[in-house]
Structure formats: C-alpha cells, structure tokens
RNA sequence: GCGCCCGUAGCUCAGCUGGAUAGAGCAACGGACUUCUAAUCCGUAGGCCACAGGUUCGAAUCCUGUCGGGCGUACCA
C-alpha cells in the first residue's frame, strides 16, 4: 500500500521534470507515512518539503505541481479501472495527503484469511543464521523474577526473528564450572555436615537458601550417612555435581512451565574438557593478543575500544569467567552463526565492551554481535520495595510467580514495557486476575470473536468458524471497520520493526491498540446483523482480527483462549 | 571521576530511523447491559515532553552541557 503511494509520487515527480515544471531531476528517497490524524488522510508524504532546497522552490508550490501531475496521470489506479485514491490535497507546511477509497482496504481481510498463521511473517531476515542466548543463569539456585524477564524477552525475540525470516537458534549457556560451582558444593557439604550433627559455622559467602538444605538431605538419603565421613575435597566435588544437576533440572522445568524453550543447552565445562579454551588462549597468544604481566595473562581489549586490558588467566593459574566467554563466543561463530545476540541483565553492561573487543580481535565485525540489556525488575509488594538476595536465600522464584499469576499474565507483563526501562513488578498487583491485567483485555478479544463465530455457525450464517475467503467485503464501510482494517494491515510492519530493533514490546503495544479498536467496534456495531450479507462481511472482518490477535500473542508466547 | 539505561498526565508507561493538534492503561468524575461474553464501551478532566543551549523549514525525538534516579566500574561470577 505504501509502495503504491510511493510509486505515484515518484511517477509524478519524474513527469513534472520531463515537462520542465520542476527544475531538478534529483529525486531523493521518498518517505510515505501513515498519518496520525484521520483528517490528514491515510498516507502523507513530506516530499515537497525535503526537496524544497534542491528545487529551490517553496514547498507549497512543489506540492501543487506534484498534485497536478498526479491528477493528470492515470496514477491512482491499479488495474486501470478502479480508482483507489479518492482525494489528494496539500496541508500544513507542504504535506501531500492521500485519501484512499474504502475498497482499497478490503483486500487486506482476504489476505489475512488466506495467509492465516503466516500473516505478518516476512523474509527480511533473509534466512540469516542468528543465535539468541538468554537466561544462562548459574545453576546455583532456582530462577527468580529477574531471570523471568530475560527469559521472555529472549524467547519472544527468538520467535519474532523467526517470523521475520531469520534462521534462529535459542541457547542457554550453563556456567557449570568455576568458583560459584565450588561454592555451591561447599554450601551443600556444610549443610550436610550440620545435618550429620557437626557444629559448623556457616560462612557468609555460601548459599543460604532452604533448597541447599534439601539437597544435603537428599544426598544423605541417597549415599547413606557414611557420606559425611568422606574426604572433604572429594565430597564437595560430589555435592557440587549432584546439586548443580538437580538445580539445572529444576531450572529446565521452571522454564518449560513458563513456555520458554531452548534448542540447545551449552556447557561451560565442555570448553575445558575439549581443551577448546586452552587452544583459544594459545591461539590469541600466538597472535600477540594475549600477553603476560605480573604473573597473569591479559587480553589486549584496550586496543579494541575497552577501557583497559583484561585478565584471562590469574596469577594463581585459574582462568577467569572472561576467558571461557571468549572461547564460547568464538565457538558460536565457528558453528556458523552470522550474528549472535546475548540477552543480559543490565548489571552486566560493563561487560559488553570486552566481549565485543574479543570478537573484533577474532576478525569478526562488531555488527555481528548484539547485546540486549534487560533493565532490572524492581520487585514490589503492595507498592513497597521487596529486596531479594540469592545468597541470603530470600527471593521470590519464577516458579512462585508462574504458579500464582499464571504463565500468560506473567509473560505479558514482562513484555509490556521496553526492556530499556526498569520494570516495576508488584507481586500483589500481578496476582490479581481482574481487569487491571492487560492480558485479559487482549485475550478477551479472541474469546469474544470465537463466541460470535460459534453463534453464527449455530444460526447457519456460516458453515464453519474458520474460513479462507471473505464475503461481501465491499459492505464494510463504517469508519470503525476501515480503521480496524488499517490496524490489521499494519501488523507485518510492526513485526518487522520489532525484529529490527529487537524490542518485543512493540508487539504488546500493537495488540493493545488492536484490541481497543475491536472492543470499540464491537460495542458500537452488531456483527450478526439482520442483513445476512452484512453479517457475513463483518464475520470475515472479525475472523481476520481473531487471527491477527492469535498470531501476535503467539509471538509473545501467550495463549489465545477460545473461551474465557 | 568514567561508562550504560532512564527522566513524557496524579501513578505506571508508549511515542524517539526528526513532521502537522504528544497517546494509552490505572486512579478521579459522569454515562451505557430485556440485544453477538459489561474481563467491555462512550464521555469529562488532567501536560513549560527534567532544565539550558545548538542543528533544522520543523525537535518529545538528533547533538552538547547541567540536574535528578537506577546500575556498573576486580587477577568476582
């Protein structure tokens, strides 16, 4: 539709030049936009204003010339017979506004019914191989609310990119190596000793949650009471492995219940086992990207935009987290991804530059690496801050939220705001299943329409509640109907914008907007009109709305209920 | 100090690849169910878009600075 208008303007400008009413043949990129106000028509172009300096002419005058050219040509027709542009006019400082005939919009409905689940999809991704890595929480405790936000953002970005034609793989990086795992093992081991009757001072830097005690108990049950007599180093290793496995299984289950799925789970330990990390360090050493100083090995990140160089191997011989991350990211590109997207909590933002530096140092381009920084979730209870700490064992888990609020409401709330902004998540508010919860507003549209379609089938107006061809669409001429179709038409654009900017909340905003337009229409006009032809036309429209709502909700991982 | 994010209606936030009269939800007030689901709708009220400069025909949007809030700034992860 937009291109159609664009062509009209381009043709008119060329024609005006040929007829020498416009002095310059230079035609800049023509921008056509949907108007904000209906009084400004359906589309407008600022062409006259942007080209004013080139043509050395007042915008108003250029606009006038263009309009005459448009009117003179037989532009405005698609197949030469139907006139789709009803009116063209100059407005304001030089905008050219286009008013389309209603019938220009009617084919949109058919298009949706035919494309069905594919409506809104596109190929802007050109099948580019993209990896989205998200959550990647350490398996040292259950997922909490903050992880939930990262989880839905990553999951939805994955769905949206797929829908927009990217070849997407979703991955979870398991930090199953390093100090935090040893701490986990120690925590469990100490609780186990306490349970076995030993007096132990439980250190502050150990994990204190009740789940640690439960794990200790399970180990005792499984290995018997003799376990507490074991050699400490060996026992801690067993505890660590056992606990990490159990916790990871819990994480997987919680994510599944939250509707979040992964194509692959990647183990950090595997980077050590395969000697991949070692090889990566050697490789960079031979390229003089890693050097030795003060007994430690440093990566020359400063040369690639970081504030300073960073340690990869400490002077005690242990590798840093950064070291395995370098190897991991290098490995991702070697697996064939053109582009890698990491979803991180905002508290890790200082880490971006050094990873980016390591990627550029590997000979890749900075544009091939994106980080979605998800701002922190501000947990409230009845409007008051609610502090959480994994170490202290005081937190609200993701599971708690999903159990109490439900998957749909939780996901929808997490995606309701741009991830660039902090999110207030009020536990009491989220638990409410009333109209304050926007998810019901959108889902209600889907359920309402299903109700109408079922009734229509019962009354034999339609033979099925799902059909692929609209009927009597030219009867759709109410302003609310045209407005609804315009919004339906904008779905694909919104998906594309969401994919390009990696902002899933664009889909949220779109759905709220569509839902609002539908509810307004529903209250004003009866779909099942006595006029059977009109009823069929409206049923077609309403079915199209239903399909778009479903497609949108699917991208956010929220269900579209038939009944509420 | 330096870096990243944010500052828009009483509250929570959209709008930010520059466009015409800055939007929505909640809260407030007034209306609409014998009619397809009132988990809905319609109306009223509410704004120096933090502040100051700059670029531009045009700035909530881009640039610079100031102020305020959040988060970072390890041979931690």
């Amino acid at each position: 539709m937009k291109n159609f208008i664009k062509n009209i303007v381009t043709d008119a400008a060329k024609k005006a030049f040929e007829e020498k009413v416009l002095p310059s043949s230079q035609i800049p990129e023509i921008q056509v936009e949907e108007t904000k106000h209906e009084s400004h028509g359906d589309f407008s172009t600022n062409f006259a204003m942007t080209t004013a300096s080139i043509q050395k002419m007042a915008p108003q005058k250029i606009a006038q010339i263009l309009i005459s050219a448009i009117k003179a040509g037989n532009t405005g027709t698609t197949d030469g017979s139907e006139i789709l542009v009803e009116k063209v006019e100059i407005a304001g400082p030089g905008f050219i506004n286009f008013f389309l005939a209603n019938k220009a919009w009617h084919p949109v409905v058919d298009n949706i019914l035919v494309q069905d689940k594919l409506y809104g999809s596109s190929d802007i991704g050109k099948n580019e191989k993209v990896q989205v890595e998200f959550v990647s929480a350490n398996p040292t405790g259950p997922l909490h609310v903050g992880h939930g936000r990262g989880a839905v953002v990553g999951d939805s970005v994955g769905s949206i990119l797929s829908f927009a034609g990217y070849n997407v793989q979703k991955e979870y990086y398991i930090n199953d190596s390093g100090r935090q795992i040893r701490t986990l093992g120690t925590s469990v081991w100490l609780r186990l000793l306490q349970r076995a009757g030993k007096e132990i001072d439980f250190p502050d830097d150990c994990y204190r949650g009740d789940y640690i005690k439960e794990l200790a108990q399970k180990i005792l049950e499984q290995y018997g009471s003799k376990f507490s007599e074991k050699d400490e180093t060996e026992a801690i290793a067993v505890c660590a492995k056992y606990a990490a496995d159990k916790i990871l299984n819990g994480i997987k289950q919680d994510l599944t219940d939250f509707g979040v799925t992964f194509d692959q789970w990647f183990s950090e330990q595997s980077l050590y086992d395969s000697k991949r990390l070692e090889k990566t360090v050697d490789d960079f050493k031979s390229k003089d990207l890693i050097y030795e100083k003060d007994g430690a090995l440093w990566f020359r990140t400063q040369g690639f935009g970081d504030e300073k160089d960073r340690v990869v191997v400490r002077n005690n011989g242990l590798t840093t987290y950064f070291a395995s991350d370098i190897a991991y990211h290098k490995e991702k590109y070697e697996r064939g991804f053109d582009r890698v997207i990491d979803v991180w909590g905002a508290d890790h933002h200082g880490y971006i530059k050094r990873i980016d530096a390591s990627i550029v140092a590997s000979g890749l381009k900075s544009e091939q690496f994106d980080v979605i920084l998800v701002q922190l979730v501000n947990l409230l209870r009845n409007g008051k801050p609610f502090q959480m700490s994994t170490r202290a064992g005081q937190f609200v888990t993701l599971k708690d939220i999903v159990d109490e609020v439900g998957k749909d409401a939780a996901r929808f709330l997490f995606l309701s705001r741009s991830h660039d902004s902090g999110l207030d998540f009020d536990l009491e508010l989220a638990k409410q299943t009333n109209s304050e919860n926007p998810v019901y507003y959108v889902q209600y549209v889907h359920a309402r329409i299903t109700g109408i379609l079922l009734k229509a089938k019962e009354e034999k107006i339609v033979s099925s509640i799902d059909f692929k061809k609209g009927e009597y669409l030219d009867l759709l001429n109410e302003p609310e109907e045209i407005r609804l179709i315009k919004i339906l038409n904008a779905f694909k654009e919104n998906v594309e914008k969401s994919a390009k900017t990696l902002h899933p909340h664009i889909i949220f905003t779109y759905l709220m907007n569509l839902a609002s337009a539908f509810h307004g229409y529903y209250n004003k006009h009866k779909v099942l009109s006595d006029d059977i032809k009109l009823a069929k036309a409206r049923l077609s429209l309403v079915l199209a709305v239903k399909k778009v709502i479903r497609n949108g909700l699917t991208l956010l991982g929220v269900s579209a209920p038939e009944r509420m």
Side-chain angles (χ1 to χ4, degrees):
Chain A
M1 202 79 78
K2 233 182 229 183
N3 285 333
F4 170 66
I5 301 290
K6 222 180 248 191
N7 290 338
I8 292 176
V9 179
T10 312
D11 290 350
K14 278 185 191 152
K15 199 168 160 235
F17 170 68
E18 280 160 22
E19 290 174 4
K20 307 219 172 10
V21 278
L22 277 184
S24 171
S25 65
Q26 252 185 312
I27 299 173
E29 170 69 18
I30 290 170
Q31 295 167 36
V32 173
E33 285 176 340
E34 277 123 47
T35 56
K36 255 186 237 168
H37 296 274
E38 277 172 23
S39 61
H40 297 147
D42 296 303
F43 293 98
S44 78
T45 179
N46 57 3
F47 179 74
M49 281 128 82
T50 54
T51 194
S53 59
I54 300 170
Q55 302 290 356
K56 299 201 172 63
M57 217 184 256
Q60 301 266 354
K61 188 155 186 207
I62 299 173
Q64 196 54 59
I65 289 168
L66 279 175
I67 290 179
S68 329
I70 290 166
K71 282 183 178 156
N74 74 341
T75 45
T77 65
T78 41
D79 57 4
S81 59
E82 264 188 312
I83 295 189
L84 297 178
V85 178
E86 246 174 18
K87 194 167 70 168
V88 186
E89 65 178 29
I90 304 180
F95 291 103
I96 303 172
N97 293 339
F98 296 83
F99 294 75
L100 266 56
N102 286 347
K103 65 183 153 204
W105 295 105
H106 294 149
V108 172
V109 174
D110 260 337
N111 200 359
I112 295 167
L113 298 184
V114 170
Q115 290 192 48
D116 200 6
K117 287 184 177 167
L118 290 178
Y119 181 75
S121 65
S122 65
D123 55 6
I124 59 165
K126 302 192 180 82
N127 214 31
E128 189 183 26
K129 274 193 83 178
V130 179
Q131 189 211 45
V132 185
E133 181 222 318
F134 57 107
V135 188
S136 301
N138 293 343
T140 53
L143 297 177
H144 55 71
V145 183
H147 294 125
R149 190 177 192 192
V152 274
V153 167
D155 193 50
S156 298
V157 164
S159 302
I160 290 164
L161 288 175
S162 296
F163 205 51
Y166 293 84
N167 180 358
V168 180
Q169 191 239 34
K170 296 186 289 179
E171 181 157 306
Y172 187 117
Y173 180 56
I174 310 162
N175 296 120
D176 51 2
S177 166
R179 207 182 76 162
Q180 77 284 358
I181 292 295
R182 287 193 298 279
T183 305
L184 174 68
T186 308
S187 306
V188 173
W189 170 244
L190 294 179
R191 287 297 187 206
L192 189 149
L193 291 182
Q194 281 179 338
R195 194 153 286 253
K198 298 211 169 120
E199 281 287 320
I200 302 259
D201 259 351
F202 200 76
D204 279 346
D205 59 352
C206 278
Y207 300 110
R208 295 182 161 269
D210 287 340
Y211 63 94
I212 298 290
K213 293 180 188 165
E214 287 161 25
L215 286 164
Q217 177 64 28
K218 279 194 185 130
I219 290 178
L220 274 177
E221 282 164 16
Q222 191 162 332
Y223 292 88
S225 55
K226 282 198 314 253
F227 189 84
S228 61
E229 316 288 324
K230 245 178 145 55
D231 167 67
E232 181 160 290
T233 314
E234 195 186 323
I236 287 176
V238 172
C239 286
K241 174 99 177 61
Y242 182 91
D245 284 351
K246 269 274 186 297
I247 291 172
L248 186 62
N249 281 333
I251 287 174
K252 285 183 181 177
Q253 187 59 52
D254 291 351
L255 287 169
T256 303
D257 293 343
F258 199 32
V260 176
T261 56
F262 290 90
D263 301 306
Q264 187 157 166
W265 298 75
F266 191 96
S267 154
E268 179 188 8
Q269 184 62 43
S270 74
L271 291 168
Y272 289 88
D273 297 344
S274 66
K275 308 265 184 217
R276 193 167 190 98
L277 194 147
E278 213 175 295
K279 278 181 210 151
T280 303
V281 171
D282 288 346
D283 181 38
F284 281 125
K285 239 197 259 178
S286 72
K287 291 176 182 160
D288 194 36
L289 289 166
I290 287 179
Y291 64 95
E292 194 173 338
K293 191 183 91 183
D294 303 334
L297 291 181
W298 299 71
F299 196 108
R300 294 190 193 280
T301 44
Q302 193 175 13
F304 298 91
D306 199 3
E307 295 161 23
K308 56 178 191 175
D309 291 344
R310 306 287 176 176
V311 170
V312 284
V313 181
R314 287 181 267 165
N315 60 12
N316 63 7
L318 294 175
T319 50
T320 62
Y321 190 85
F322 180 45
S324 40
D325 257 348
I326 294 173
Y328 176 44
H329 281 84
K330 192 162 181 279
E331 197 272 351
K332 291 184 184 194
Y333 292 101
E334 282 165 11
R335 262 191 270 163
F337 293 109
D338 302 311
R339 188 171 163 210
V340 164
I341 299 170
D342 287 8
V343 181
W344 293 351
D347 51 341
H348 287 75
H349 79 261
Y351 213 70
I352 297 177
K353 271 191 181 153
R354 74 190 74 168
I355 296 290
D356 190 63
S358 80
I359 286 167
V360 174
S362 310
L364 295 147
K365 292 194 191 105
S366 187
E367 297 85 66
Q368 290 176 273
F369 177 61
D370 278 305
V371 177
I372 297 177
L373 273 187
V374 181
Q375 293 295 319
L376 301 182
V377 176
N378 191 17
L379 199 62
L380 305 172
R381 190 182 280 285
N382 286 322
K384 287 178 195 155
F386 186 83
Q387 284 305 319
M388 299 195 301
S389 155
T390 311
R391 281 266 161 76
Q394 190 204 32
F395 43 68
V396 175
T397 63
L398 177 60
K399 183 176 161 50
D400 291 341
I401 297 292
V402 175
D403 286 350
E404 293 192 51
V405 183
K407 168 186 87 107
D408 287 343
R411 287 187 70 119
F412 211 59
L413 277 175
F414 277 132
L415 294 170
S416 66
R417 308 292 180 221
S418 164
H419 53 246
D420 293 328
S421 294
L423 179 75
D424 285 345
F425 197 100
D426 194 303
L427 291 165
E428 298 308 316
L429 212 69
K431 279 178 197 165
Q432 292 176 20
T433 53
N434 60 22
S435 59
E436 279 185 41
N437 221 325
V439 71
Y440 302 107
Y441 188 75
V442 176
Q443 288 184 321
Y444 189 40
V445 173
H446 195 265
R448 256 188 164 170
I449 293 173
T450 307
I452 299 170
L453 287 161
L454 284 171
K455 181 143 194 253
K457 192 188 170 199
E458 219 172 87
E459 293 178 3
K460 310 244 188 281
I461 300 170
V462 289
S463 56
S464 154
I465 65 160
D466 192 17
F467 43 90
K468 302 282 181 207
K469 181 90 188 101
E471 289 191 274
Y472 307 107
L473 295 179
D474 56 336
L475 297 180
L476 298 173
N477 289 308
E478 296 288 349
E480 291 82 6
E481 289 167 339
I482 300 303
R483 202 164 91 77
L484 212 36
I485 298 177
K486 285 182 195 173
I487 296 174
L488 293 173
N489 185 55
F491 181 55
K492 184 173 164 186
E493 244 170 71
N494 275 273
V495 174
E496 289 175 1
K497 190 175 171 193
S498 179
K500 278 183 198 157
T501 61
L502 304 176
H503 275 95
H505 79 281
I506 290 172
I507 304 297
F508 170 91
T509 307
Y510 172 82
L511 286 171
M512 291 298 282
N513 191 19
L514 174 58
S516 168
F518 171 77
H519 285 311
Y521 173 62
Y522 176 91
N523 273 275
K524 189 159 178 189
H525 301 286
K526 197 162 156 113
V527 174
L528 299 178
S529 155
D530 293 335
D531 175 347
I532 195 85
K533 288 180 180 172
L534 184 59
K536 286 188 175 187
R538 289 182 172 172
L539 282 165
S540 307
L541 171 61
V542 145
L543 179 60
V545 172
K546 176 178 161 167
K547 286 178 189 292
V548 174
I549 290 278
R550 177 206 55 203
N551 289 4
L553 285 175
T554 303
L555 291 177
L556 304 185
V558 176
S559 67
E562 301 291 334
R563 190 175 304 128
M564 285 171 74

